Amino acid sequence: MRKPGAGALPVLLGTFGFFGVFWGVFAVLLADLARVLELSPGPLGTALFVGAASSIAAMAFLGRLSDRIGRKPFVLLSALAFGCGIAALAASGGYAALLGALVLLYAASGLYDVGINASAVDLEQASGRRLMPVLHASFSAGGVAGALSAGALLQAGTGYRSVYLLTLAPLAAVMVAVAAARLPRPRTRRDASPRLYRSPALLLVALIATLGLLAEGEMEHWSGVYLRGTLGLPALVGGSGVAVFYGAMAAGRLGAAFVVARLGDRTTIAWAGLLAACGMAFSLATTRPVLVVGGFLVVGLALAAVVPVAFSLAGDLAPERAGAAITLVTTLGYGGFLLGPVVVGGLAELVGLRLALLTISAAGFLVFLLSLRLRTA
């Protein structure tokens, strides 16, 4: 008799991989979207804020359905809504239509993210293995593929709307795989005791994860705009820069377990914060493409370790309710991931995109400072 969840890992790798593919494509195409709709960073940042707010609202009111209706139906329904959001984004021809598309897209994206991460927690508990870094590495590898593909298709003359629509093919493949898979059932208690929210140690870990994901979100949304819009680089080079960041994230996450085993959780996060801060500052101090992209590489390698290590720490702090602890960290962290790009958009309208992206350096330095409190938290 097959063990429940057997064969689920490849399927979940695919769900995370597609998620990365889409956001890699989105990061590259954001410059084209802004250009065609004639949006400056301010209005674009406002549109992203509307999307972020809808995502957080959807997770707050609908995320619990993942426990009530089951992981598989939840992931399939959110993936279907995700596809509708992608199609609406491709068809948007004005600012109002863009706002509507982003509300649907981000809301569905947030629910899809909740569903696949909850499924990942179930698989970890069923297998007894730490699989989150590998699954998040799949997301980053998908981002590489998406960014490079989008850049190459644009360079070849494909319209950006068509590139959006092409992402529906891998989404359909993921939905078929999920529908056919046997996902493990949740084994965590449904007791959502408020004591978790009053734990200083867990809230510190959640804050570190939030800063890490805030920086990731800013890089994913604005690095392509910076390379292609501010620096005026061609689509293929701009896409390659985004892909380098995603590739560094994938490599860093695959190596995170080795680094943690050598240095420990606290030291790993401390160095990650410092390297992210320095790497981004270096990228923004020059306009030479090779050096800018090299800085992105450092930022990606550094940020890669922050979130998986934070998830592991959250589980260690509440071993009997690891799922609930990780849910808390994920919810707060995802808020940072979504709101970070909005902050950059607003600041860019005031001081320019280059200075606004220094918030990534600031987030890295704050991660370093907070990591110093992990031992006594």
Side-chain angles (χ1 to χ4, degrees):
M1 181 176 179
R2 293 184 67 193
K3 182 179 178 181
L9 179 58
V11 174
L12 288 180
L13 286 170
T15 62
F16 277 82
F18 165 74
F19 205 35
V21 166
F22 173 76
W23 288 113
V25 168
F26 185 85
V28 174
L29 298 187
L30 197 58
D32 299 273
L33 189 67
R35 174 178 51 80
V36 170
L37 298 184
E38 299 180 346
L39 300 178
S40 65
L44 181 59
T46 300
L48 294 175
F49 173 79
V50 170
S54 68
S55 183
I56 293 172
M59 287 188 292
F61 290 104
L62 300 177
R64 68 189 66 182
L65 289 177
S66 174
D67 292 325
R68 294 182 180 178
I69 69 175
R71 303 288 192 237
K72 183 186 291 189
F74 187 85
V75 171
L76 289 174
L77 288 172
S78 60
L80 179 61
F82 200 178
C84 293
I86 294 171
L89 183 64
S92 59
Y95 194 62
L98 174 65
L99 289 175
L102 289 178
V103 166
L104 176 58
L105 178 72
Y106 272 78
S109 169
L111 295 175
Y112 179 85
D113 197 17
V114 168
I116 62 177
N117 274 287
S119 299
V121 171
D122 297 341
L123 185 58
E124 283 193 327
Q125 293 178 343
S127 65
R129 294 186 294 159
R130 288 290 192 192
L131 298 172
M132 200 69 75
V134 176
L135 291 167
H136 281 247
S138 178
F139 169 85
S140 300
V144 174
L148 285 177
S149 298
L153 287 169
L154 290 174
Q155 196 75 16
T158 306
Y160 80 95
R161 298 180 190 273
S162 297
V163 179
Y164 278 132
L165 293 176
L166 286 172
T167 64
L168 295 177
L171 175 59
V174 163
M175 292 179 68
V176 171
V178 170
R182 295 183 62 189
L183 300 180
R185 294 184 178 181
R187 295 176 59 186
T188 54
R189 298 187 304 177
R190 292 189 181 182
D191 174 22
S193 170
R195 286 178 294 177
L196 280 179
Y197 294 85
R198 295 201 297 264
S199 168
L202 186 58
L203 290 176
L204 175 60
V205 170
L207 181 55
I208 289 173
T210 299
L211 289 167
L213 282 168
L214 179 143
E216 283 187 37
E218 291 179 355
M219 285 294 296
E220 288 180 18
H221 285 79
W222 290 105
S223 58
V225 177
Y226 178 68
L227 291 170
R228 298 182 58 203
T230 303
L231 299 185
L233 300 177
L236 186 58
V237 178
S240 297
V242 177
V244 163
F245 170 73
Y246 277 115
M249 291 283 289
R253 280 171 173 162
L254 288 174
F258 174 80
V259 175
V260 170
R262 291 294 186 92
L263 301 180
D265 295 324
R266 179 176 179 272
T267 303
T268 298
I269 290 182
W271 276 106
L274 274 181
L275 286 174
C278 294
M280 197 64 204
F282 177 78
S283 287
L284 298 175
T286 180
T287 57
R288 296 183 61 182
V290 173
L291 298 180
V292 173
V293 172
F296 285 2
L297 175 67
V298 174
V299 174
L301 285 171
L303 290 177
V306 175
V307 176
V309 173
F311 279 8
S312 295
L313 286 171
D316 293 341
L317 287 169
E320 296 182 356
R321 287 182 293 160
I326 292 174
T327 297
L328 171 62
V329 174
T330 302
T331 302
L332 294 178
Y334 198 73
F337 179 84
L338 291 172
L339 293 177
V342 178
V343 171
V344 169
L347 288 175
E349 195 73 11
L350 298 174
V351 300
L353 185 55
R354 177 177 289 177
L355 289 178
L357 287 174
L358 281 173
T359 54
I360 295 173
S361 289
F365 189 66
L366 285 174
V367 166
F368 165 72
L369 292 178
L370 291 173
S371 72
L372 302 180
R373 298 177 56 85
L374 281 175
R375 182 173 296 172
T376 58

